[in-house]
Amino acid sequence: MPKNIFTRGHSRPLNRTHKLAIAGVGTLGAAAVALTAVPASGQTTTSEAAAPKAKVAYSTEQIQDVHAGVTGQLAGASQKVASIEAKKEATAKAAAKKKAAAEKAAEKREAKETASRSAKRAEVKKASTKSYSDNLDGWIREARDIMKKHGIPGTYEGIHRNIMRESSGNPKAINDWDINAINGIPSKGLLQVIPPTFEAYHVPGTSKNIYDPVANIVAACNYAADKYGTMDNVDSAY
């Protein structure tokens, strides 16, 4: 039998030229197949005619919606801030009004308490202020109360007795005939005290007028206490 001419040992390897030739044959075959698929009318259509270009439309509605949404949020935030500020202002006004009312109430209370204290002081003063009649009895009683405060002795009877002997109860009496008068310093007042003696034994708080009945009695009794122990021990000119 003849040897197989296609045995592996006698085959040649395909070079670049052979490969290109085979690729060309494949391409031609594919073209032939495509032509057999053309309709009998022989007319062909392109993809451009079958699928016209679509126009792209750009809408601003979404942008406007976003803008409106942001504006609304800002407006809402502003309203909230305004509401908070209004509440703060209302709270501050209420606090100020409450404080003013409290201060006014405190002022009224203080004024009332001050008036009450003044009234009480007036009552105490009125109660502590003893009234005396404007006559010999009243003068002696007032003089004795002053004498007690200053530790000056003298009874009502002893003072009254000496007054009646010296001036008969006349606070304006003046001696213009005795030795004191001759010396230019006449005795004056209820208990006939000369001016130097009155000034030396004057008691603070009493009048400095030698003719004042109370001041005259207190100064005379102060002198008598210094010289005689008490006015009760005086039975004649002293």
Side-chain angles (χ1 to χ4, degrees):
M1 294 179 63
K3 295 182 179 179
N4 190 350
I5 62 174
F6 297 103
T7 58
R8 184 181 303 274
H10 296 280
S11 63
R12 294 180 180 178
L14 297 178
N15 56 27
R16 187 172 182 274
T17 302
H18 294 160
K19 291 180 180 179
L20 290 174
I22 294 171
V25 173
T27 302
L28 291 174
V33 173
L35 289 174
T36 61
V38 175
S41 61
Q43 296 178 352
T44 61
T45 59
T46 64
S47 60
E48 182 178 356
K53 293 182 179 180
K55 294 182 179 180
V56 178
Y58 298 94
S59 175
T60 60
E61 293 181 358
Q62 293 182 351
I63 296 175
Q64 292 176 353
D65 291 342
V66 171
H67 178 71
V70 172
T71 303
Q73 290 178 2
L74 291 175
S78 298
Q79 289 178 356
K80 288 182 180 180
V81 171
S83 177
I84 292 171
E85 292 298 328
K87 287 182 179 179
K88 287 182 178 180
E89 185 177 357
T91 301
K93 287 182 178 180
K97 186 176 181 180
K98 185 176 180 181
K99 183 179 179 181
E103 290 177 352
K104 188 174 182 180
E107 289 176 0
K108 288 184 178 180
R109 183 168 58 252
E110 180 63 23
K112 186 176 181 180
E113 291 176 355
T114 301
S116 179
R117 288 193 295 267
S118 298
K120 288 181 180 179
R121 285 195 296 268
E123 290 177 0
V124 171
K125 185 176 180 180
K126 184 178 180 180
S128 61
T129 303
K130 191 174 180 179
S131 60
Y132 304 94
S133 58
D134 190 20
N135 53 31
L136 182 58
D137 178 73
W139 299 333
I140 294 174
R141 292 183 184 281
E142 184 176 358
R144 291 193 69 244
D145 286 339
I146 296 172
M147 290 163 59
K148 287 179 182 178
K149 293 179 182 180
H150 292 274
I152 302 172
T155 64
Y156 183 97
E157 291 75 11
I159 295 171
H160 186 272
R161 183 182 72 249
N162 281 282
I163 288 175
M164 295 307 294
R165 185 188 70 251
E166 295 292 336
S167 65
S168 300
N170 180 10
K172 300 297 182 181
I174 181 172
N175 187 325
D176 55 3
W177 56 268
D178 65 1
I179 188 62
N180 291 321
I182 295 172
N183 292 331
I185 49 172
S187 302
K188 300 176 181 180
L190 286 176
L191 284 169
Q192 293 294 285
V193 183
I194 60 175
T197 300
F198 179 81
E199 292 177 5
Y201 290 93
H202 173 264
V203 175
T206 61
S207 174
K208 292 185 177 182
N209 182 2
I210 194 172
Y211 290 107
D212 180 85
V214 174
N216 188 281
I217 293 172
V218 174
C221 288
N222 192 25
Y223 166 76
D226 184 41
K227 297 297 182 180
Y228 306 102
T230 175
M231 182 62 75
D232 294 347
N233 296 331
V234 178
D235 291 317
S236 61
Y238 60 105

